[in-house]
C-alpha cells in the first residue's frame, strides 16, 4: 500500500476494497450475534421445559399422595372422618383469594386438621411399635440382663479415675 500504483487507476481498487471489507466484517458480526441469540433462546426453552416438567411431576405426586391417603385411611374411622373434612376444606380453599382473611382462616383450619391426623397416625405407629415382637424381645433381654460384678465395677471406676488424672495438654 505504500508503493505507488503502477496502473493509472490503482488507487481506485484500494478505495473500493474498503467497503467490501466493512460489509464482510459486518456480515460476520451479524452472524455471530444471531448464533448467540439462538443459543440463548435454546437455553431459555430448556429452562422452561424443565420448569414445566417439574410442575407436572408435582401434580402427579400430589395425586399419588392422595391415592395413598385414601388407601391407608381405612384403618381408623376418626382418621377417615378427618381426611374427609380436610378434603372439603381444600375444595373450599380453591375458590378463595389467597390474600383474603377467609383464605387465612381456611389455612388455619386445614393445618389444625392435618395436626390431628398427624397425632393419630403417630399414636398408631407408636402403639404398633410397642406391641411389636421386636420391642417385646428387647424388653425380655433387658429383664434377663445380669448386673455387673463387683470386680467389673472396680475396673470401670479405675479407668475413670485414670482418665480424670491425666493432665490436659495446652497448645
Amino acid at each position: 500500500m505504500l508503493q505507488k500504483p503502477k496502473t493509472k487507476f490503482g488507487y481506485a481498487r484500494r478505495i473500493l476494497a474498503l467497503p467490501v471489507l466493512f460489509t464482510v466484517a459486518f456480515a460476520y458480526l451479524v452472524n455471530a450475534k444471531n448464533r448467540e441469540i439462538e443459543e440463548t433462546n435454546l437455553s431459555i426453552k430448556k429452562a422452561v421445559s424443565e420448569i414445566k416438567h417439574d410442575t407436572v411431576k408435582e401434580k402427579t405426586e400430589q395425586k399419588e399422595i392422595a391415592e395413598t391417603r385414601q388407601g391407608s385411611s381405612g384403618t381408623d374411622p376418626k382418621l377417615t372422618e378427618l381426611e374427609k373434612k380436610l378434603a372439603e376444606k381444600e375444595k373450599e380453599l380453591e375458590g378463595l383469594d389467597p390474600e383474603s382473611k377467609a383464605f387465612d382462616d381456611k389455612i388455619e383450619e386445614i393445618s389444625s386438621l392435618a395436626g390431628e391426623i398427624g397425632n393419630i397416625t403417630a399414636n398408631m405407629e407408636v402403639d404398633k411399635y410397642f406391641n411389636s415382637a421386636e420391642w417385646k424381645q428387647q424388653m425380655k433381654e433387658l429383664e434377663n440382663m445380669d448386673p455387673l460384678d463387683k470386680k467389673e465395677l472396680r475396673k470401670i471406676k479405675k479407668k475413670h479415675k485414670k482418665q480424670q488424672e491425666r493432665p490436659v495438654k495446652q497448645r
Side-chain angles (χ1 to χ4, degrees), residues 55-136:
T55 55
V56 170
K57 272 188 177 178
E58 289 177 4
K59 289 179 182 177
T60 57
E61 287 174 0
Q62 288 176 354
K63 288 179 184 177
E64 290 174 0
I65 290 171
E67 289 172 1
T68 56
R69 221 192 274 169
Q70 291 172 356
S72 65
S73 63
T75 57
D76 191 13
K78 287 183 182 178
L79 196 58
T80 55
E81 181 181 327
L82 287 173
E83 287 180 356
K84 286 179 184 176
K85 287 181 182 178
L86 186 65
E88 290 173 7
K89 298 291 181 184
E90 287 175 354
K91 287 179 183 175
E92 292 173 6
L93 189 67
E94 290 176 4
L96 296 175
D97 180 33
E99 297 177 2
S100 66
K101 185 174 180 173
F103 185 83
D104 293 336
D105 293 339
K106 293 292 180 187
I107 291 290
E108 289 177 14
E109 291 174 9
I110 288 174
S111 63
S112 66
L113 287 173
E116 290 178 28
I117 290 173
N119 289 337
I120 291 173
T121 55
N123 289 337
M124 289 172 50
E125 290 175 8
V126 168
D127 290 341
K128 183 188 276 186
Y129 178 72
F130 284 123
N131 292 331
S132 69
E134 178 185 353
W135 175 258
K136 291 178 182 177

Side-chain angles (χ1 to χ4, degrees), residues 12-51:
R13 283 184 294 189
R14 292 181 186 161
I15 292 174
L16 291 176
L18 287 175
V20 171
L21 179 70
F22 287 130
T23 52
V24 169
F26 181 73
Y28 276 119
L29 288 174
V30 168
N31 190 18
K33 195 67 173 175
N34 284 343
R35 285 186 182 171
E36 184 180 322
I37 290 171
E38 287 175 2
E39 290 174 1
T40 306
N41 287 343
L42 211 150
S43 64
I44 290 172
K45 284 180 183 178
K46 284 182 182 178
V48 168
S49 67
E50 187 176 314
I51 291 171

